[in-house]
């Protein structure tokens, strides 16, 4: 393992999570003023669908907030503005609370979690690739970039650091080329989403760049993060706070390099935020269509939580982090004081139960498993423990839900 990255301590059946902030794919133009010089009224926020998927439980298919508080449970945070969010126990998979969990929304660069979970297992980390002009075709205008240059060589290890730390769409496109091309990679990702039962997800581009019909959901992003973190290399790249990335190569001179840093503000405390205790976030993103999105995880004591927030409209660059932190706070305080409203289902290949009505499949072969399919009930994977800036480490033993539940049955 490269000494340039944060060291990992291998543990049995453990997972580790960090995150990346993505610059907007393109800036939204300022709306024109009305005839009297006043700014126009903001358009009304769209309403969630009346009917959504009930994968994971029928309550998760209902619009609005779903929570079942027991006596002594704290109230949910006030003034949450995310269009969709979910709080789940990372080990048991129980969903503690959710809001429009299956609402299909643009995911921004949180889609890169699915990209990595799908492609990473098939590319040896020490493989070296010389970048061509064709590799860089299709990188969207205004994309977040790590600084990959044509006619320069990069290891797979370097490119994944660029994906996770800087959300580099240039690195995504080079890795996609190494995987057989963007079109093949999109098909692989869609098949893997089907295997994970992330059936709200429709993949159009591997990097999450805004595209018509490219959607996911808070529920699906949480499933995807949970799957990715079964993979040691995925955890390693997620857990890297900073690294050296290869720069220009001039003849007869040592190759230049420059530092890249993880931009998850709950981890680093950037943007005026304080690092969240125990945070080891997974992935975040920001585009014009998606707004801000974030899937994160944190551990306090023996409790480990996963939180996804999509498109808060409170304003400000920190809104998605502040709402995530508030939901983490609530989840840790509410543990043991709420009845679950749903569950995170296992991959299709491991599932022997019925979990409610699925979203419409986006592929003709929904049973086809993508690369790196789900782990079994008894997880024998090696894990890692990483001390992040906040001083926390995230170690979980993933458990599949027990028992058979009828189609669409509520979890109480």
């Amino acid at each position: 393992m490269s000494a340039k990255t944060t060291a990992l301590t291998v543990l049995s059946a453990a997972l580790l999570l960090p995150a990346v902030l993505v610059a907007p794919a393109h800036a939204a133009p300022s709306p024109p003023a009305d005839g009297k010089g006043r700014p126009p009224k903001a358009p009304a926020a769209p309403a969630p669908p009346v009917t959504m998927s009930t994968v994971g439980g029928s309550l998760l298919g209902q619009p609005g907030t779903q929570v079942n508080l027991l006596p002594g449970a704290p109230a949910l945070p006030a003034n949450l503005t995310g269009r969709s969010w979910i709080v789940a126990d990372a080990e048991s998979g129980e969903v503690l609370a959710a809001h429009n969990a299956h609402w299909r929304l643009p995911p921004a660069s949180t889609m890169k979690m699915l990209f990595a979970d799908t492609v990473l297992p098939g590319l040896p980390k020490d493989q070296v690739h010389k970048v061509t002009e064709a590799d860089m075709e299709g990188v969207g205008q205004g994309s977040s970039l790590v600084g990959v240059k044509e006619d320069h060589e990069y290891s797979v290890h370097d490119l994944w650091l660029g994906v996770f730390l800087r959300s580099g769409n240039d690195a995504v496109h080079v890795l996609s080329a190494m995987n057989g091309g963007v079109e093949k990679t999109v098909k692989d990702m869609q098949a893997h989403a089907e295997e994970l039962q992330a059936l709200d997800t429709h993949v159009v581009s591997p990097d999450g760049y805004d595209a018509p019909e490219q959607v996911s959901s808070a529920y699906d992003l949480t499933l995807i993060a949970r799957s990715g973190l079964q993979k040691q290399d995925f955890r390693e790249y997620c857990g890297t706070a900073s690294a050296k990335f290869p720069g220009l190569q001039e003849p007869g001179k040592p190759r230049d390099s420059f530092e890249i840093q993880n931009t998850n503000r709950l981890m680093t405390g950037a943007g005026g935020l304080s690092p969240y205790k125990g945070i080891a976030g997974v992935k975040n993103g920001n585009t014009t269509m998606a707004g801000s999105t974030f899937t994160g995880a944190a551990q306090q004591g023996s409790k480990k939580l996963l939180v996804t927030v999509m498109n808060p409209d409170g304003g400000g660059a920190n809104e998605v982090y502040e709402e995530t932190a508030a939901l983490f706070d609530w989840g840790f305080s509410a543990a043991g004081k709420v009845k679950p409203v749903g569950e995170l289902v296992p991959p299709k290949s491991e599932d022997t139960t019925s979990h409610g009505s699925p979203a419409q499949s986006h592929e003709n072969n929904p049973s086809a498993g993508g690369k790196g399919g789900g782990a079994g009930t008894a997880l024998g994977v090696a894990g890692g423990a990483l001390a992040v800036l906040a001083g926390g480490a995230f170690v979980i033993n993933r458990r599949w839900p027990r028992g058979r539940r009828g189609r669409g049955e509520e979890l109480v």
Side-chain angles (χ1 to χ4, degrees), residues 118-181:
T118 304
V119 174
L120 190 153
L123 297 177
K125 64 194 306 181
D126 58 354
Q127 181 178 343
V128 175
H129 178 77
K130 187 173 183 179
V131 176
T132 69
E133 182 179 357
D135 294 343
M136 304 287 281
E137 290 179 357
V139 176
Q141 184 178 3
S143 289
S144 52
L145 306 173
V146 67
V148 174
K149 301 296 183 184
E150 296 174 14
D151 299 322
H152 283 64
E153 292 185 342
Y154 299 87
S155 69
V156 168
H157 176 79
D158 293 329
L159 293 169
W160 282 120
L161 289 173
V163 171
F164 279 99
L165 273 69
R166 300 303 305 175
S167 205
N169 288 5
D170 46 358
V172 170
H173 278 255
V174 174
L175 289 164
S176 295
M178 297 174 70
N179 185 59

Side-chain angles (χ1 to χ4, degrees), residues 376-392:
T377 301
L379 292 174
V381 299
L386 174 68
V388 297
L389 192 63

Side-chain angles (χ1 to χ4, degrees), residues 1-10 16 18 125 157 161 165 232-244 259-262 267 384-389 392-393:
M1 183 175 298
S2 173
K4 298 177 182 178
T5 61
T6 306
L8 289 170
T9 302
V10 177
L16 234 276
K125 64 194 306 181
H157 176 79
L161 289 173
L165 273 69
Q232 182 176 349
D233 284 349
F234 188 106
R235 295 190 298 269
E236 175 195 338
Y237 298 125
C238 283
T240 301
S242 64
K244 294 290 186 180
E259 185 173 280
I260 57 175
Q261 294 185 338
N262 194 313
M267 181 183 294
L386 174 68
V388 297
L389 192 63

